[in-house]
Amino acid sequence: MNKLNRIFTPGPVPIDEHILSIGAQQPPYNRTGDFSLLTHEILSSLKHLFQTDGEVALLTGSGTLTMEAAVLNFLTPYDKVLIVNGGTFGQRWCDLCRIHSIPFREIKLDAGADLDLDQLKNILGEEEVSAFLINAHETSTGQLYDIQAIGDIVHDACLLYIVDAISTICADPFQMDDWNVDVAILSSQKALALPPGLSFVAMSTNAIARLRKSKPKTLYMNLQDYLRNQERGQLPYTPAIGLLLQLHQRLMDIQQRTLPEIISQHRQRALDFRKSIIDLPLSILPERQSNAMTALLCDDLDAVQVVQGLRTNHAIEVAPSGGTLKHKLIRISHMGDQNSSDIDFIAASLAEIVMPKPVERII
Amino acid sequence: MNKLNRIFTPGPVPIDEHILSIGAQQPPYNRTGDFSLLTHEILSSLKHLFQTDGEVALLTGSGTLTMEAAVLNFLTPYDKVLIVNGGTFGQRWCDLCRIHSIPFREIKLDAGADLDLDQLKNILGEEEVSAFLINAHETSTGQLYDIQAIGDIVHDACLLYIVDAISTICADPFQMDDWNVDVAILSSQKALALPPGLSFVAMSTNAIARLRKSKPKTLYMNLQDYLRNQERGQLPYTPAIGLLLQLHQRLMDIQQRTLPEIISQHRQRALDFRKSIIDLPLSILPERQSNAMTALLCDDLDAVQVVQGLRTNHAIEVAPSGGTLKHKLIRISHMGDQNSSDIDFIAASLAEIVMPKPVERII
């Protein structure tokens, strides 16, 4: 793994040098007052990131761990769940509900299609539902749903509103409390721009009240245990301490630069990139885009070959796709430590791959 | 967290400088052939560490995650489990079985007491049992059970043998296949001497056959998904990539220095330390000790004050204890990057705390 390609993948993302350097520190012992202080500072900043007055549980594991934690702690076989399934991660909500015997109905959407709010209202009018699950940014297609507008409808219907916000927080506005979101999840390796390994479950005060009555069949994902331990700045099981040190610094950086500024930086990158590729034979897939990523249909080209060409000829990693999109879609991330020359570089490299110059004729 | 005390805690442990420095590397994109190669090399070395011809699943999370994974993937409510409960981690097996509705009987042992093998045979003679759960090294008391001798009995009784080997592998001999262990677990922050955040489930060929019929009610801990993805060098969910780079190097180091040499180094450290404190008013708690750690009863002193004294006067962290042992027991780790001067330092510091020199009389 000596040769390191430039990555434009939606996780892992390029990480600031001074955050990376913290990764070389010896992890301190965690059952101390100093560590409790660190944890309290992290938790306070995470609440700001989610824009909630509730609580955030801090888990060691991937985003899928916290998706499963949300299902286990907040849903039971007595619920009836409505799931928006617009791709790989919508499907993951369905898989989790199936595994844990939670009845659900899915609104299956075409790749990149937006959710029709009238259709949503109709479904809620005709069917008794207790909870609503969605991925704010369906990372497999680039579709960003309107979590605020959906929140109004979901709130009117008195549903528990659970949102996977993994690849949107820090890249797009996300106002958990104002948008009536009850449970939101996030992981470290997206727009938070840290190495993978940490993930978070944010809970509104309403969700916390519900949690107190919950009897989840899990030890490692029991969120009550996390909240109880976190009160004294501790975690129930040894966390990825090194990653917590990096998280602490990153959260301080975000607070200093301000969250709106971080979001508008992502927005600017996304706009600049999209402008620079406007003449290429590529088309935007999603109806409503996140600043985190651009998902491009390769028109007449094979997406697998575009990904391979960028890797071989330009030492660039972009994300391929799976399933029916495998040969059609590439995904280019705007998250992490990127500057304007990175955007010029990926745009120029992409142009060379999708519009190769004709070989000059030898006279 | 600027001031960093010297740590003699059984996780986190002091980490080699060149392993720490890898923590500052940018995590590469993981859906590549290069990364698959890295994963294959890691898995091959992990099998060597466990001494098994079976398979090892690689999870991002703490040791408790893999304890829960073992319970979820290998036990059902139709099992009857026998658990050795000699402390915090034996209790954790009981908690996991209770949460997942798995019938169990526990052999409750006093802190530091060994398992009586005749008693075990008697219990197995009088009770129908299908699986046996134990912590090879009960880290809360320092007791190291005789996993090999127990394995003979468990094997004769045709039980599934599940062993938490978290704080023994690399410090003490552990021969998974030869000792008839079916499932063994390990995490990164003990004698493997890495930062916390990764954990592993090793499965014998017998266990793998059983796993194929298993329908665990979990997505993140579904070990079949791990084995299926690992065949092509991939993992089902984004792993802690940075920690995997460190793991890869550490496993290469162990292979170069050889596993028996690493174990005998721990043994020598433990012997040296125990010899150097022989005159102190401290007594060894466990009947059978691991090389990983020394668990010391503080006789007439308050263990909490000893821990605090080492921290305040010598900038040393040792592990306190909980429950009824809180004021009695301290635990001093021999794991990680320690040399003879570290051992002299902790022994001398401990002597100063537990046998303070009388104040010289002012004439």
Side-chain angles (χ1 to χ4, degrees):
Chain A
M1 305 292 286
N2 288 325
K3 171 179 66 70
L4 191 62
N5 289 356
R6 280 165 90 157
I7 55 175
F8 291 87
T9 47
V13 301
I15 298 168
D16 272 333
E17 273 302 329
H18 80 289
I19 298 289
L20 281 176
S21 70
I22 295 170
Q25 288 179 14
Q26 166 66 40
Y29 183 49
N30 51 314
R31 302 297 186 190
T32 65
D34 276 1
F35 186 82
S36 291
L37 196 66
L38 180 101
T39 307
H40 279 306
E41 288 180 3
I42 286 173
L43 293 172
S44 163
S45 299
L46 281 174
K47 285 166 66 169
H48 174 68
L49 224 57
F50 281 95
Q51 296 283 297
T52 183
D53 288 332
E55 297 291 344
V56 182
L58 206 168
L59 281 73
T60 295
S62 86
T64 299
L65 176 78
T66 39
M67 289 178 78
E68 187 156 21
V71 168
L72 277 166
N73 284 270
F74 290 101
L75 301 173
T76 77
Y78 300 102
D79 278 293
K80 175 71 186 282
V81 177
L82 188 60
I83 300 174
V84 176
N85 181 355
T88 307
F89 297 97
Q91 182 59 46
R92 192 155 296 171
W93 280 133
C94 297
D95 293 343
L96 283 164
C97 286
R98 185 182 43 73
I99 288 168
H100 295 294
S101 309
I102 291 155
F104 68 94
R105 171 176 172 176
E106 57 185 309
I107 304 177
K108 193 130 182 149
L109 298 177
D110 288 339
D114 203 357
L115 176 66
D116 181 329
L117 300 187
D118 289 328
Q119 186 201 359
L120 174 61
K121 283 180 203 158
N122 288 341
I123 291 172
L124 293 178
E126 73 199 21
E127 197 150 354
E128 195 80 37
V129 169
S130 60
F132 185 84
L133 272 62
I134 194 167
N135 316 87
H137 176 215
E138 172 52 76
T139 324
S140 69
T141 67
Q143 172 64 29
L144 181 74
Y145 301 107
D146 189 341
I147 296 303
Q148 181 175 19
I150 296 167
D152 289 340
I153 298 167
V154 165
H155 185 66
D156 284 347
C158 298
L159 310 185
L160 189 79
Y161 191 18
I162 300 181
V163 178
D164 155 15
I166 289 177
S167 62
T168 188
I169 283 178
C170 289
D172 307 296
F174 188 82
Q175 309 268 344
M176 179 161 169
D177 287 355
D178 285 354
W179 296 357
N180 297 303
V181 175
D182 291 300
V183 179
I185 65 176
L186 174 64
S187 60
S188 53
Q189 81 280 15
K190 305 289 183 183
L192 193 46
L194 291 168
L198 295 176
S199 54
F200 318 103
V201 187
M203 294 160 266
S204 68
T205 47
N206 170 41
I208 293 166
R210 192 166 164 140
L211 183 70
R212 297 205 199 287
K213 294 176 224 148
S214 161
K215 288 180 183 164
K217 281 176 86 74
T218 175
L219 185 66
Y220 191 73
M221 290 181 262
N222 186 316
L223 297 177
Q224 290 170 78
D225 288 344
Y226 284 82
L227 295 191
R228 197 163 32 239
N229 279 271
Q230 287 177 187
E231 275 179 25
R232 55 186 180 95
Q234 289 292 318
L235 294 160
Y237 313 108
T238 309
I241 299 173
L243 296 180
L244 289 182
L245 300 183
Q246 293 176 304
L247 171 62
H248 183 256
Q249 181 60 51
R250 174 70 179 146
L251 289 168
M252 287 204 300
D253 294 351
I254 291 174
Q255 225 145 14
Q256 193 171 20
R257 290 184 46 205
T258 80
L259 185 54
E261 165 59 24
I262 300 277
I263 293 167
S264 77
Q265 189 187 38
H266 282 86
R267 181 174 155 74
Q268 196 55 52
R269 281 184 206 152
L271 290 174
D272 289 348
F273 173 74
R274 288 163 195 170
K275 199 172 153 193
S276 67
I277 57 150
I278 208 154
D279 294 328
L280 301 185
L282 301 163
S283 43
I284 302 276
L285 171 64
E287 291 183 13
R288 191 167 180 276
Q289 294 189 87
S290 163
N291 299 322
M293 190 184 88
T294 301
L296 292 165
L297 290 167
C298 291
D299 294 358
D300 299 329
L301 298 157
D302 182 339
V304 171
Q305 286 182 17
V306 174
V307 169
Q308 194 56 50
L310 286 167
R311 178 178 295 154
T312 310
N313 301 348
H314 301 277
I316 281 177
E317 297 290 344
V318 301
S321 298
T324 55
L325 294 171
K326 184 174 177 184
H327 293 278
K328 294 180 183 167
L329 190 74
I330 60 170
R331 295 171 298 140
I332 290 156
S333 156
H334 311 303
M335 298 180 282
D337 182 30
Q338 291 185 7
N339 57 32
S340 59
S341 82
D342 291 314
I343 293 167
D344 293 345
F345 179 66
I346 175 71
S349 304
L350 196 54
E352 277 192 41
I353 296 293
V354 301
M355 292 215 304
K357 291 196 189 83
V359 179
E360 280 183 29
R361 206 183 312 175
I362 299 161
I363 304 173
Chain B
M1 305 290 286
N2 288 325
K3 171 179 67 70
L4 191 62
N5 289 356
R6 280 164 91 158
I7 55 174
F8 292 86
T9 47
V13 302
I15 298 168
D16 272 333
E17 273 302 329
H18 80 289
I19 298 290
L20 281 176
S21 70
I22 295 170
Q25 288 179 14
Q26 166 65 40
Y29 183 49
N30 52 313
R31 303 297 187 191
T32 65
D34 276 0
F35 187 82
S36 292
L37 196 66
L38 180 101
T39 307
H40 279 306
E41 288 179 2
I42 286 173
L43 293 171
S44 163
S45 300
L46 282 174
K47 286 166 66 169
H48 174 68
L49 223 58
F50 281 95
Q51 296 283 298
T52 183
D53 288 332
E55 297 291 345
V56 182
L58 205 169
L59 281 73
T60 295
S62 86
T64 299
L65 176 78
T66 39
M67 289 178 79
E68 187 155 22
V71 168
L72 277 166
N73 284 269
F74 290 101
L75 301 174
T76 77
Y78 300 103
D79 278 293
K80 175 71 187 281
V81 177
L82 188 60
I83 300 174
V84 176
N85 181 355
T88 307
F89 297 98
Q91 182 59 45
R92 192 156 296 171
W93 280 133
C94 297
D95 293 343
L96 283 164
C97 286
R98 185 182 43 72
I99 288 167
H100 295 294
S101 309
I102 291 156
F104 68 93
R105 170 175 172 177
E106 57 184 310
I107 304 177
K108 193 130 182 148
L109 298 177
D110 288 340
D114 203 356
L115 177 66
D116 181 328
L117 299 187
D118 289 328
Q119 186 201 359
L120 174 61
K121 282 180 203 160
N122 288 341
I123 291 172
L124 293 178
E126 74 200 21
E127 197 150 354
E128 195 80 36
V129 169
S130 60
F132 185 84
L133 272 63
I134 194 167
N135 315 88
H137 177 215
E138 172 52 76
T139 324
S140 69
T141 67
Q143 172 64 29
L144 181 74
Y145 301 108
D146 188 342
I147 296 303
Q148 181 176 19
I150 295 167
D152 290 340
I153 298 166
V154 165
H155 184 65
D156 284 348
C158 298
L159 309 185
L160 189 79
Y161 191 19
I162 300 181
V163 178
D164 155 15
I166 289 177
S167 63
T168 187
I169 283 178
C170 289
D172 306 296
F174 188 81
Q175 309 269 343
M176 178 161 169
D177 287 356
D178 285 353
W179 296 357
N180 297 303
V181 174
D182 291 301
V183 179
I185 64 176
L186 174 64
S187 60
S188 53
Q189 81 280 15
K190 306 288 183 181
L192 193 47
L194 292 169
L198 295 176
S199 54
F200 318 103
V201 187
M203 294 159 265
S204 68
T205 48
N206 171 41
I208 293 166
R210 192 166 163 140
L211 183 70
R212 297 205 199 288
K213 294 175 224 148
S214 160
K215 288 179 184 165
K217 281 177 86 75
T218 175
L219 185 66
Y220 191 73
M221 289 182 263
N222 186 316
L223 297 177
Q224 291 170 78
D225 288 344
Y226 283 83
L227 295 191
R228 198 163 32 240
N229 279 271
Q230 287 177 188
E231 276 179 24
R232 55 186 180 96
Q234 288 292 317
L235 294 160
Y237 313 107
T238 308
I241 299 173
L243 296 179
L244 288 183
L245 300 183
Q246 293 176 304
L247 171 63
H248 183 256
Q249 181 61 50
R250 173 71 178 145
L251 290 168
M252 287 204 300
D253 294 350
I254 291 174
Q255 225 145 15
Q256 193 171 21
R257 290 184 46 205
T258 81
L259 185 54
E261 165 59 25
I262 300 277
I263 293 167
S264 76
Q265 189 187 38
H266 282 86
R267 181 174 154 74
Q268 196 56 51
R269 280 184 207 152
L271 290 174
D272 289 348
F273 173 74
R274 288 163 195 169
K275 199 171 152 192
S276 68
I277 57 149
I278 208 155
D279 294 328
L280 301 185
L282 301 163
S283 43
I284 302 277
L285 171 64
E287 291 184 13
R288 192 167 179 275
Q289 293 189 87
S290 163
N291 299 322
M293 190 183 87
T294 301
L296 292 165
L297 290 168
C298 291
D299 294 358
D300 299 329
L301 299 157
D302 182 339
V304 171
Q305 286 182 18
V306 174
V307 169
Q308 194 57 50
L310 286 168
R311 179 179 294 155
T312 310
N313 301 348
H314 301 277
I316 281 178
E317 296 289 345
V318 302
S321 299
T324 55
L325 294 171
K326 184 174 177 185
H327 292 278
K328 293 180 183 168
L329 190 73
I330 60 170
R331 295 171 298 140
I332 290 156
S333 157
H334 311 303
M335 298 180 281
D337 182 29
Q338 291 185 7
N339 57 31
S340 59
S341 82
D342 291 314
I343 293 167
D344 293 345
F345 179 66
I346 174 71
S349 304
L350 196 54
E352 278 192 41
I353 296 294
V354 301
M355 293 214 303
K357 291 196 188 81
V359 179
E360 280 183 28
R361 206 184 311 175
I362 299 161
I363 303 172

